[in-house]
Coordinates of all heavy atoms in Angstrom, one line a residue:
M1 N -25.0 -6.2 -6.8 CA -24.3 -7.2 -5.9 C -22.8 -7.2 -6.2 O -22.0 -7.4 -5.3 CB -24.9 -8.6 -6.2 CG -24.4 -9.7 -5.3 SD -24.8 -9.3 -3.6 CE -24.3 -10.8 -2.9
V2 N -22.4 -7.1 -7.5 CA -21.0 -7.1 -7.9 C -20.3 -5.9 -7.1 O -19.2 -6.1 -6.6 CB -20.8 -6.9 -9.4 CG1 -19.4 -6.8 -9.8 CG2 -21.4 -8.2 -10.1
Q3 N -20.9 -4.8 -7.1 CA -20.2 -3.6 -6.4 C -20.1 -3.9 -4.9 O -19.1 -3.5 -4.3 CB -21.0 -2.3 -6.7 CG -20.9 -1.9 -8.1 CD -21.7 -0.6 -8.4 OE1 -22.4 -0.1 -7.5 NE2 -21.5 0.0 -9.6
I4 N -21.1 -4.5 -4.3 CA -21.0 -4.8 -2.9 C -19.8 -5.8 -2.6 O -19.0 -5.6 -1.7 CB -22.3 -5.4 -2.4 CG1 -23.4 -4.3 -2.4 CG2 -22.2 -5.9 -0.9 CD1 -24.8 -4.8 -2.1
C5 N -19.7 -6.8 -3.4 CA -18.6 -7.7 -3.3 C -17.2 -7.1 -3.5 O -16.3 -7.3 -2.7 CB -18.8 -8.9 -4.2 SG -20.1 -10.0 -3.9
E6 N -17.1 -6.2 -4.5 CA -15.9 -5.5 -4.7 C -15.6 -4.6 -3.6 O -14.4 -4.5 -3.1 CB -16.0 -4.7 -6.0 CG -14.7 -4.1 -6.5 CD -14.8 -3.4 -7.8 OE1 -16.0 -3.1 -8.3 OE2 -13.8 -3.1 -8.4
C7 N -16.6 -3.9 -3.0 CA -16.4 -3.0 -1.9 C -15.9 -3.8 -0.7 O -15.0 -3.4 0.0 CB -17.8 -2.4 -1.6 SG -17.7 -1.2 -0.2
V8 N -16.5 -4.9 -0.4 CA -16.1 -5.8 0.8 C -14.7 -6.2 0.6 O -13.9 -6.2 1.5 CB -17.1 -7.0 1.0 CG1 -16.5 -8.0 2.0 CG2 -18.5 -6.5 1.4
M9 N -14.3 -6.6 -0.6 CA -12.9 -7.0 -0.9 C -12.0 -5.9 -0.6 O -10.9 -6.1 0.1 CB -12.8 -7.5 -2.3 CG -11.4 -8.0 -2.7 SD -10.4 -7.2 -4.0 CE -11.3 -6.0 -4.8
L10 N -12.3 -4.7 -1.1 CA -11.4 -3.6 -0.9 C -11.3 -3.1 0.5 O -10.2 -2.8 1.0 CB -11.8 -2.4 -1.8 CG -11.6 -2.6 -3.3 CD1 -12.3 -1.5 -4.1 CD2 -10.1 -2.5 -3.6
I11 N -12.4 -3.2 1.3 CA -12.4 -2.9 2.7 C -11.5 -3.9 3.4 O -10.7 -3.5 4.3 CB -13.8 -2.8 3.3 CG1 -14.5 -1.6 2.7 CG2 -13.8 -2.8 4.8 CD1 -16.0 -1.5 3.0
C12 N -11.7 -5.2 3.2 CA -10.9 -6.2 3.8 C -9.4 -6.1 3.5 O -8.6 -6.2 4.5 CB -11.4 -7.6 3.4 SG -13.0 -8.0 4.1
F13 N -9.1 -5.9 2.3 CA -7.7 -5.7 2.0 C -7.2 -4.4 2.6 O -6.0 -4.3 3.1 CB -7.4 -5.6 0.4 CG -7.5 -6.9 -0.3 CD1 -7.6 -7.0 -1.6 CD2 -7.5 -8.1 0.4 CE1 -7.7 -8.2 -2.3 CE2 -7.6 -9.3 -0.2 CZ -7.7 -9.4 -1.6
G14 N -8.0 -3.4 2.5 CA -7.6 -2.0 3.0 C -7.4 -2.0 4.5 O -6.6 -1.2 5.0
L15 N -8.0 -2.9 5.3 CA -7.8 -2.9 6.7 C -6.4 -3.3 7.1 O -5.9 -2.8 8.2 CB -8.8 -3.8 7.4 CG -10.3 -3.3 7.4 CD1 -11.2 -4.4 7.9 CD2 -10.4 -2.0 8.1
S16 N -5.7 -4.1 6.3 CA -4.4 -4.5 6.7 C -3.3 -3.5 6.4 O -2.3 -3.5 7.1 CB -4.1 -5.8 5.9 OG -4.0 -5.5 4.5
W17 N -3.5 -2.6 5.5 CA -2.4 -1.7 5.1 C -2.1 -0.6 6.2 O -0.9 -0.4 6.4 CB -2.8 -1.0 3.8 CG -2.7 -2.0 2.7 CD1 -3.8 -2.4 1.9 CD2 -1.6 -2.8 2.3 NE1 -3.3 -3.4 1.0 CE2 -2.0 -3.6 1.2 CE3 -0.3 -2.9 2.7 CZ2 -1.2 -4.6 0.6 CZ3 0.6 -3.8 2.1 CH2 0.1 -4.6 1.1
P18 N -3.1 0.0 6.9 CA -2.7 0.9 8.0 C -1.8 0.2 9.0 O -0.9 0.8 9.6 CB -4.0 1.4 8.5 CG -5.0 1.3 7.4 CD -4.5 0.0 6.6
I19 N -2.2 -1.1 9.3 CA -1.4 -1.9 10.3 C 0.0 -2.0 9.8 O 1.0 -1.9 10.5 CB -2.0 -3.2 10.5 CG1 -3.4 -3.0 11.2 CG2 -1.2 -4.1 11.4 CD1 -4.3 -4.2 11.2
S20 N 0.2 -2.3 8.5 CA 1.5 -2.5 7.9 C 2.3 -1.2 8.0 O 3.5 -1.2 8.3 CB 1.4 -2.9 6.4 OG 2.6 -3.1 5.8
V21 N 1.6 0.0 7.7 CA 2.3 1.3 7.8 C 2.7 1.5 9.2 O 3.9 2.0 9.5 CB 1.4 2.4 7.3 CG1 1.9 3.8 7.6 CG2 1.2 2.3 5.8
Y22 N 1.9 1.3 10.2 CA 2.2 1.5 11.6 C 3.4 0.7 12.0 O 4.3 1.2 12.6 CB 1.0 1.1 12.5 CG 1.3 1.2 13.9 CD1 1.3 2.4 14.6 CD2 1.5 0.1 14.7 CE1 1.6 2.5 15.9 CE2 1.8 0.1 16.0 CZ 1.8 1.4 16.6 OH 2.1 1.5 18.0
K23 N 3.5 -0.6 11.6 CA 4.6 -1.5 11.9 C 5.9 -1.0 11.2 O 6.9 -1.0 11.8 CB 4.3 -2.9 11.5 CG 3.3 -3.6 12.4 CD 3.1 -5.0 12.0 CE 2.2 -5.7 13.0 NZ 2.1 -7.2 12.7
S24 N 5.8 -0.5 10.0 CA 6.9 0.1 9.3 C 7.5 1.3 10.1 O 8.7 1.4 10.2 CB 6.6 0.5 7.9 OG 6.3 -0.6 7.1
I25 N 6.6 2.1 10.5 CA 7.0 3.4 11.2 C 7.6 3.0 12.6 O 8.7 3.5 12.9 CB 5.8 4.3 11.4 CG1 5.4 4.9 10.0 CG2 6.2 5.5 12.3 CD1 4.1 5.7 10.0
T26 N 7.0 2.2 13.3 CA 7.4 1.9 14.7 C 8.7 1.0 14.7 O 9.5 1.1 15.6 CB 6.3 1.3 15.5 OG1 5.8 0.1 14.9 CG2 5.2 2.2 15.7
S27 N 8.8 0.1 13.8 CA 9.9 -0.8 13.8 C 11.2 -0.2 13.2 O 12.3 -0.6 13.5 CB 9.6 -2.1 13.0 OG 9.6 -1.8 11.6
K28 N 10.9 0.8 12.3 CA 12.0 1.5 11.6 C 12.9 0.4 10.9 O 14.1 0.6 10.8 CB 12.8 2.3 12.5 CG 12.0 3.4 13.1 CD 12.8 4.3 14.0 CE 11.9 5.2 14.7 NZ 11.9 6.4 15.1
S29 N 12.3 -0.6 10.4 CA 13.0 -1.7 9.8 C 12.4 -2.1 8.4 O 11.2 -1.9 8.3 CB 13.0 -2.9 10.7 OG 13.6 -4.0 10.1
T30 N 13.2 -2.6 7.5 CA 12.7 -3.2 6.3 C 12.4 -4.7 6.4 O 11.9 -5.3 5.4 CB 13.7 -2.9 5.1 OG1 14.9 -3.5 5.4 CG2 13.8 -1.4 4.9
K31 N 12.8 -5.3 7.5 CA 12.6 -6.7 7.7 C 11.1 -7.1 7.5 O 10.2 -6.5 8.0 CB 13.1 -7.2 9.0 CG 14.6 -7.1 9.1 CD 15.1 -7.6 10.4 CE 16.6 -7.4 10.4 NZ 17.2 -7.9 11.6
G32 N 10.9 -8.1 6.7 CA 9.6 -8.6 6.4 C 8.9 -7.9 5.3 O 7.7 -8.2 5.0
K33 N 9.5 -6.9 4.8 CA 8.9 -6.1 3.7 C 9.5 -6.5 2.3 O 10.7 -6.8 2.3 CB 9.2 -4.6 3.9 CG 8.5 -4.0 5.1 CD 7.0 -3.9 4.8 CE 6.3 -3.3 6.0 NZ 4.9 -3.1 5.8
S34 N 8.7 -6.5 1.3 CA 9.2 -6.8 0.0 C 8.8 -5.6 -1.0 O 7.6 -5.5 -1.2 CB 8.6 -8.1 -0.5 OG 8.9 -8.2 -1.9
P35 N 9.7 -4.9 -1.5 CA 9.3 -3.8 -2.4 C 8.7 -4.3 -3.7 O 7.8 -3.7 -4.2 CB 10.6 -3.1 -2.7 CG 11.7 -4.0 -2.3 CD 11.2 -4.9 -1.3
I36 N 9.1 -5.5 -4.1 CA 8.4 -6.1 -5.3 C 7.0 -6.4 -5.0 O 6.1 -6.2 -5.8 CB 9.2 -7.4 -5.8 CG1 10.6 -6.9 -6.2 CG2 8.5 -8.1 -6.8 CD1 11.6 -8.1 -6.5
F37 N 6.7 -7.0 -3.8 CA 5.3 -7.2 -3.4 C 4.5 -5.9 -3.4 O 3.4 -5.9 -3.9 CB 5.3 -7.9 -2.1 CG 3.9 -8.2 -1.5 CD1 3.1 -9.1 -2.1 CD2 3.4 -7.4 -0.5 CE1 1.8 -9.3 -1.6 CE2 2.1 -7.6 0.0 CZ 1.3 -8.5 -0.6
L38 N 5.1 -4.9 -2.8 CA 4.4 -3.6 -2.7 C 4.1 -3.0 -4.1 O 3.0 -2.5 -4.3 CB 5.2 -2.6 -1.8 CG 5.3 -3.0 -0.3 CD1 6.2 -2.0 0.4 CD2 3.9 -2.9 0.3
I39 N 5.1 -3.2 -5.0 CA 4.9 -2.7 -6.4 C 3.8 -3.5 -7.0 O 2.9 -2.9 -7.7 CB 6.2 -2.8 -7.2 CG1 7.2 -1.8 -6.7 CG2 5.9 -2.6 -8.7 CD1 8.6 -2.0 -7.2
A40 N 3.7 -4.8 -6.8 CA 2.6 -5.6 -7.4 C 1.3 -5.1 -6.9 O 0.3 -5.0 -7.7 CB 2.8 -7.1 -7.1
I41 N 1.2 -4.8 -5.6 CA -0.1 -4.3 -5.0 C -0.4 -2.9 -5.6 O -1.6 -2.7 -6.0 CB 0.0 -4.3 -3.5 CG1 0.2 -5.7 -2.9 CG2 -1.3 -3.6 -2.9 CD1 -0.9 -6.7 -3.2
I42 N 0.6 -2.1 -5.7 CA 0.4 -0.7 -6.3 C -0.2 -0.8 -7.7 O -1.1 -0.2 -8.1 CB 1.6 0.1 -6.2 CG1 1.9 0.5 -4.7 CG2 1.6 1.3 -7.1 CD1 3.3 1.0 -4.5
V43 N 0.5 -1.7 -8.5 CA 0.1 -1.9 -9.9 C -1.4 -2.4 -10.0 O -2.2 -2.0 -10.8 CB 1.0 -2.8 -10.7 CG1 0.5 -3.2 -12.0 CG2 2.4 -2.1 -10.8
G44 N -1.7 -3.3 -9.1 CA -3.0 -3.9 -9.0 C -4.1 -2.8 -8.7 O -5.1 -2.7 -9.4
Y45 N -3.8 -1.9 -7.7 CA -4.7 -0.9 -7.4 C -4.9 0.1 -8.6 O -5.9 0.6 -8.9 CB -4.4 -0.2 -6.1 CG -4.7 -0.9 -4.9 CD1 -3.8 -1.1 -3.8 CD2 -6.0 -1.5 -4.7 CE1 -4.2 -1.8 -2.7 CE2 -6.3 -2.2 -3.6 CZ -5.4 -2.4 -2.6 OH -5.7 -3.1 -1.5
I46 N -3.7 0.4 -9.2 CA -3.8 1.3 -10.4 C -4.6 0.7 -11.5 O -5.4 1.4 -12.1 CB -2.4 1.7 -10.9 CG1 -1.7 2.6 -9.8 CG2 -2.4 2.4 -12.2 CD1 -0.2 2.8 -10.1
A47 N -4.5 -0.6 -11.7 CA -5.3 -1.3 -12.7 C -6.7 -1.2 -12.4 O -7.6 -1.0 -13.2 CB -4.8 -2.7 -12.9
G48 N -7.1 -1.4 -11.1 CA -8.4 -1.3 -10.7 C -9.0 0.1 -10.9 O -10.2 0.2 -11.4
I49 N -8.3 1.1 -10.6 CA -8.7 2.5 -10.8 C -8.9 2.7 -12.3 O -9.9 3.3 -12.7 CB -7.7 3.5 -10.2 CG1 -7.7 3.4 -8.7 CG2 -8.0 4.9 -10.7 CD1 -6.6 4.1 -7.9
A50 N -7.9 2.3 -13.1 CA -8.0 2.5 -14.6 C -9.2 1.7 -15.1 O -9.9 2.3 -16.0 CB -6.7 2.0 -15.2
G51 N -9.4 0.5 -14.6 CA -10.6 -0.2 -15.1 C -11.9 0.5 -14.8 O -12.8 0.5 -15.7
K52 N -12.0 1.1 -13.6 CA -13.2 1.9 -13.3 C -13.4 3.1 -14.2 O -14.5 3.4 -14.7 CB -13.2 2.4 -11.9 CG -13.3 1.3 -10.8 CD -14.8 0.9 -10.8 CE -15.0 -0.2 -9.8 NZ -16.3 -0.8 -9.9
I53 N -12.3 3.8 -14.5 CA -12.3 5.0 -15.3 C -12.6 4.6 -16.8 O -13.5 5.2 -17.4 CB -11.0 5.8 -15.2 CG1 -10.9 6.3 -13.8 CG2 -10.9 6.9 -16.3 CD1 -9.5 6.9 -13.5
V54 N -11.9 3.6 -17.3 CA -12.1 3.2 -18.7 C -13.5 2.7 -19.0 O -14.1 3.0 -20.0 CB -11.0 2.2 -19.1 CG1 -11.4 1.5 -20.5 CG2 -9.7 2.8 -19.1
S55 N -14.1 1.9 -18.0 CA -15.4 1.4 -18.2 C -16.5 2.4 -18.0 O -17.7 2.2 -18.2 CB -15.6 0.2 -17.2 OG -15.7 0.7 -15.9
G56 N -16.1 3.6 -17.4 CA -17.1 4.6 -17.1 C -17.9 4.3 -15.9 O -18.9 5.0 -15.6
N57 N -17.4 3.3 -15.1 CA -18.1 2.9 -13.9 C -17.5 3.6 -12.7 O -17.0 3.0 -11.8 CB -18.0 1.4 -13.8 CG -18.9 0.8 -12.7 OD1 -19.8 1.5 -12.2 ND2 -18.7 -0.4 -12.3
I58 N -17.6 4.9 -12.7 CA -17.0 5.7 -11.7 C -18.0 5.9 -10.5 O -19.1 6.4 -10.8 CB -16.5 7.1 -12.2 CG1 -15.5 6.9 -13.3 CG2 -16.0 8.0 -11.1 CD1 -15.0 8.1 -14.0
N59 N -17.7 5.3 -9.4 CA -18.6 5.3 -8.3 C -17.8 5.3 -6.9 O -16.6 5.5 -7.0 CB -19.6 4.1 -8.3 CG -18.9 2.8 -8.4 OD1 -17.7 2.6 -7.9 ND2 -19.5 1.8 -9.0
Y60 N -18.5 5.1 -5.8 CA -17.8 5.2 -4.5 C -16.7 4.2 -4.4 O -15.8 4.4 -3.6 CB -18.8 5.0 -3.4 CG -19.5 3.6 -3.4 CD1 -19.0 2.6 -2.7 CD2 -20.6 3.3 -4.2 CE1 -19.5 1.3 -2.7 CE2 -21.1 2.0 -4.3 CZ -20.6 1.0 -3.5 OH -21.2 -0.2 -3.5
I61 N -16.7 3.1 -5.1 CA -15.6 2.1 -5.0 C -14.3 2.7 -5.5 O -13.2 2.3 -5.0 CB -16.0 0.8 -5.8 CG1 -17.2 0.2 -5.1 CG2 -14.9 -0.2 -5.9 CD1 -17.8 -1.0 -5.8
L62 N -14.3 3.6 -6.4 CA -13.1 4.3 -6.9 C -12.4 5.0 -5.7 O -11.2 5.0 -5.6 CB -13.4 5.3 -8.0 CG -12.3 6.0 -8.6 CD1 -11.4 5.0 -9.4 CD2 -12.8 7.0 -9.6
I63 N -13.2 5.5 -4.8 CA -12.6 6.1 -3.6 C -11.9 5.1 -2.7 O -10.8 5.3 -2.2 CB -13.7 6.8 -2.7 CG1 -14.3 7.9 -3.5 CG2 -13.2 7.2 -1.4 CD1 -15.6 8.5 -2.9
L64 N -12.4 3.9 -2.6 CA -11.7 2.8 -1.8 C -10.4 2.4 -2.5 O -9.4 2.2 -1.8 CB -12.7 1.6 -1.7 CG -13.9 1.8 -0.8 CD1 -14.8 0.6 -0.9 CD2 -13.5 2.1 0.6
Y65 N -10.5 2.3 -3.8 CA -9.2 2.0 -4.6 C -8.2 3.0 -4.3 O -7.0 2.8 -4.0 CB -9.5 1.9 -6.1 CG -9.9 0.5 -6.6 CD1 -11.2 0.4 -7.1 CD2 -9.1 -0.6 -6.6 CE1 -11.7 -0.9 -7.6 CE2 -9.5 -1.8 -7.1 CZ -10.8 -1.9 -7.6 OH -11.2 -3.1 -8.1
S66 N -8.6 4.3 -4.4 CA -7.7 5.4 -4.2 C -7.1 5.5 -2.8 O -5.9 5.7 -2.6 CB -8.4 6.7 -4.5 OG -8.9 6.7 -5.8
I67 N -8.0 5.2 -1.8 CA -7.5 5.2 -0.4 C -6.5 4.1 -0.2 O -5.4 4.3 0.4 CB -8.6 5.1 0.6 CG1 -9.5 6.4 0.6 CG2 -8.1 4.8 2.0 CD1 -10.8 6.2 1.4
N68 N -6.8 2.9 -0.6 CA -5.9 1.8 -0.5 C -4.6 2.0 -1.2 O -3.5 1.8 -0.7 CB -6.5 0.5 -1.1 CG -7.6 -0.1 -0.1 OD1 -7.8 0.4 1.0 ND2 -8.2 -1.1 -0.6
L69 N -4.6 2.6 -2.4 CA -3.4 2.9 -3.2 C -2.6 3.9 -2.4 O -1.4 3.8 -2.3 CB -3.8 3.5 -4.5 CG -2.6 4.0 -5.4 CD1 -1.6 2.9 -5.7 CD2 -3.1 4.6 -6.7
A70 N -3.2 5.0 -1.8 CA -2.5 6.0 -1.0 C -1.8 5.4 0.2 O -0.6 5.7 0.4 CB -3.4 7.1 -0.6
V71 N -2.4 4.4 0.8 CA -1.8 3.8 2.0 C -0.7 2.9 1.6 O 0.4 2.9 2.3 CB -2.9 3.1 2.9 CG1 -2.2 2.4 4.1 CG2 -4.0 4.0 3.3
V72 N -0.8 2.1 0.5 CA 0.2 1.3 0.1 C 1.4 2.1 -0.4 O 2.6 1.7 -0.1 CB -0.2 0.3 -1.0 CG1 0.9 -0.6 -1.5 CG2 -1.3 -0.6 -0.4
L73 N 1.2 3.2 -1.1 CA 2.2 4.1 -1.5 C 3.0 4.6 -0.3 O 4.2 4.8 -0.3 CB 1.7 5.2 -2.4 CG 1.4 4.9 -3.8 CD1 0.6 6.0 -4.5 CD2 2.6 4.5 -4.6
T74 N 2.2 4.9 0.7 CA 2.9 5.4 2.0 C 3.8 4.4 2.5 O 4.9 4.7 2.9 CB 1.8 5.8 3.0 OG1 1.0 6.8 2.5 CG2 2.4 6.3 4.3
D75 N 3.3 3.1 2.6 CA 4.2 2.0 3.1 C 5.4 1.9 2.2 O 6.5 1.6 2.7 CB 3.4 0.7 3.1 CG 3.9 -0.3 4.1 OD1 4.6 0.1 5.0 OD2 3.5 -1.5 4.0
F76 N 5.2 2.0 0.9 CA 6.4 1.9 0.0 C 7.4 3.0 0.2 O 8.6 2.7 0.3 CB 5.8 2.0 -1.5 CG 6.8 1.7 -2.6 CD1 7.3 0.4 -2.7 CD2 7.1 2.6 -3.5 CE1 8.2 0.1 -3.7 CE2 8.0 2.4 -4.5 CZ 8.6 1.1 -4.6
I77 N 6.9 4.2 0.4 CA 7.9 5.3 0.7 C 8.6 5.1 2.1 O 9.8 5.3 2.2 CB 7.1 6.7 0.7 CG1 6.6 7.0 -0.7 CG2 7.9 7.8 1.3 CD1 5.6 8.1 -0.8
I78 N 7.8 4.6 3.1 CA 8.4 4.4 4.4 C 9.5 3.2 4.3 O 10.5 3.3 4.9 CB 7.4 4.0 5.4 CG1 6.5 5.2 5.7 CG2 8.0 3.5 6.7 CD1 5.2 4.9 6.5
Y79 N 9.2 2.3 3.4 CA 10.2 1.2 3.2 C 11.6 1.8 2.8 O 12.6 1.5 3.3 CB 9.7 0.2 2.1 CG 10.8 -0.8 1.7 CD1 11.0 -1.9 2.4 CD2 11.7 -0.5 0.6 CE1 12.0 -2.8 2.1 CE2 12.7 -1.4 0.3 CZ 12.8 -2.6 1.0 OH 13.8 -3.4 0.7
F80 N 11.5 2.8 1.8 CA 12.8 3.3 1.3 C 13.4 4.3 2.4 O 14.6 4.4 2.5 CB 12.6 4.0 0.0 CG 12.5 3.0 -1.1 CD1 11.3 2.7 -1.6 CD2 13.6 2.3 -1.6 CE1 11.1 1.7 -2.6 CE2 13.5 1.3 -2.5 CZ 12.3 1.0 -3.1
I81 N 12.6 4.9 3.2 CA 13.1 5.7 4.3 C 13.9 4.8 5.3 O 15.0 5.1 5.7 CB 12.0 6.6 5.0 CG1 11.5 7.6 4.0 CG2 12.5 7.2 6.3 CD1 10.2 8.3 4.5
N82 N 13.2 3.7 5.6 CA 13.8 2.8 6.6 C 15.1 2.2 6.0 O 16.1 2.0 6.7 CB 12.8 1.7 7.0 CG 11.7 2.2 7.9 OD1 11.9 3.3 8.5 ND2 10.7 1.5 8.0
L83 N 15.0 1.9 4.7 CA 16.2 1.3 4.0 C 17.4 2.3 4.1 O 18.5 1.9 4.4 CB 15.9 0.9 2.6 CG 17.0 0.3 1.8 CD1 17.4 -1.1 2.3 CD2 16.5 0.1 0.3
H84 N 17.1 3.5 3.8 CA 18.1 4.6 3.8 C 18.7 4.7 5.2 O 19.9 4.7 5.4 CB 17.6 5.9 3.4 CG 18.5 7.1 3.6 ND1 19.6 7.3 2.8 CD2 18.5 8.0 4.6 CE1 20.2 8.4 3.3 NE2 19.6 8.8 4.3
N85 N 17.8 4.7 6.2 CA 18.3 4.8 7.6 C 19.1 3.6 8.0 O 20.1 3.7 8.7 CB 17.1 5.0 8.6 CG 16.5 6.3 8.4 OD1 17.1 7.3 7.9 ND2 15.2 6.5 8.8
E86 N 18.7 2.4 7.6 CA 19.5 1.2 7.9 C 20.9 1.2 7.3 O 21.9 0.9 7.9 CB 18.7 -0.1 7.4 CG 17.5 -0.4 8.2 CD 16.7 -1.6 7.6 OE1 17.0 -2.0 6.5 OE2 15.8 -2.0 8.3
R87 N 20.9 1.6 6.0 CA 22.2 1.7 5.4 C 23.1 2.8 6.0 O 24.3 2.6 6.2 CB 22.1 2.0 3.9 CG 21.5 0.8 3.1 CD 21.3 1.1 1.7 NE 20.9 -0.1 1.0 CZ 20.4 -0.1 -0.2 NH1 20.3 1.0 -0.9 NH2 20.0 -1.2 -0.8
H88 N 22.5 3.9 6.4 CA 23.3 5.0 7.0 C 23.8 4.5 8.4 O 24.9 4.8 8.7 CB 22.4 6.2 7.2 CG 23.1 7.4 7.8 ND1 24.0 8.1 7.2 CD2 22.9 7.9 9.1 CE1 24.5 9.1 8.1 NE2 23.8 8.9 9.2
H89 N 23.0 3.8 9.1 CA 23.4 3.3 10.4 C 24.5 2.3 10.3 O 25.4 2.2 11.1 CB 22.2 2.7 11.2 CG 22.5 2.2 12.5 ND1 22.8 3.0 13.6 CD2 22.6 0.9 13.0 CE1 23.1 2.2 14.6 NE2 23.0 1.0 14.3
A90 N 24.4 1.4 9.3 CA 25.4 0.4 9.1 C 26.8 1.0 8.7 O 27.8 0.5 9.2 CB 25.0 -0.6 7.9
K91 N 26.8 2.1 8.0 CA 28.0 2.8 7.7 C 28.7 3.5 8.9 O 29.9 3.6 9.0 CB 27.8 3.8 6.6 CG 27.6 3.2 5.2 CD 27.4 4.3 4.2 CE 27.1 3.7 2.8 NZ 26.8 4.7 1.8
S92 N 27.8 3.9 9.8 CA 28.3 4.7 10.9 C 28.8 3.8 12.1 O 29.3 4.2 13.0 CB 27.3 5.7 11.4 OG 26.2 5.0 11.9
V93 N 28.5 2.5 12.0 CA 28.8 1.6 13.1 C 30.2 1.0 12.9 O 30.8 0.8 12.0 CB 27.8 0.4 13.2 CG1 28.2 -0.6 14.2 CG2 26.5 1.0 13.6

């Protein structure tokens, strides 16, 4: 039952990240984004992955943690791309 609850939590959290990435790409803006928040989420997913590995409880849930981490890292990278583009545009105006 614990694994099912953890799985549901990761799926629910995970559904929001592709939407966030899509908005980051289409808006080409850093507005509404917080790199500190993204770092906190990244650290949380890394801790979840580490917890699974250290406990020896390696199962399908590790895949969900990894997918969520990859999507949040993508959003984090896009944040800095957008930040660079905003600064470049501000200098050229």
Side-chain angles (χ1 to χ4, degrees):
M1 184 64 171
V2 172
Q3 290 180 353
I4 292 171
C5 290
E6 188 175 16
C7 181
V8 169
M9 183 240 356
L10 287 168
I11 289 170
C12 289
F13 286 169
L15 290 174
S16 64
W17 293 116
I19 295 166
S20 180
V21 168
Y22 176 77
K23 287 183 177 183
S24 293
I25 291 169
T26 57
S27 72
K28 299 181 187 213
S29 172
T30 59
K31 291 184 181 183
K33 295 286 180 176
S34 167
I36 294 171
F37 175 75
L38 291 172
I39 290 169
I41 298 299
I42 290 166
V43 169
Y45 283 133
I46 291 171
I49 291 168
K52 288 288 184 192
I53 293 169
V54 169
S55 71
N57 191 12
I58 298 174
N59 55 29
Y60 65 94
I61 294 175
L62 186 63
I63 295 168
L64 294 174
Y65 275 111
S66 300
I67 291 169
N68 286 355
L69 175 61
V71 178
V72 177
L73 282 169
T74 301
D75 203 21
F76 189 64
I77 291 166
I78 293 168
Y79 172 87
F80 286 102
I81 292 169
N82 288 343
L83 182 64
H84 171 77
N85 291 339
E86 287 173 352
R87 289 179 177 168
H88 180 72
H89 179 70
K91 287 180 183 179
S92 64
V93 173

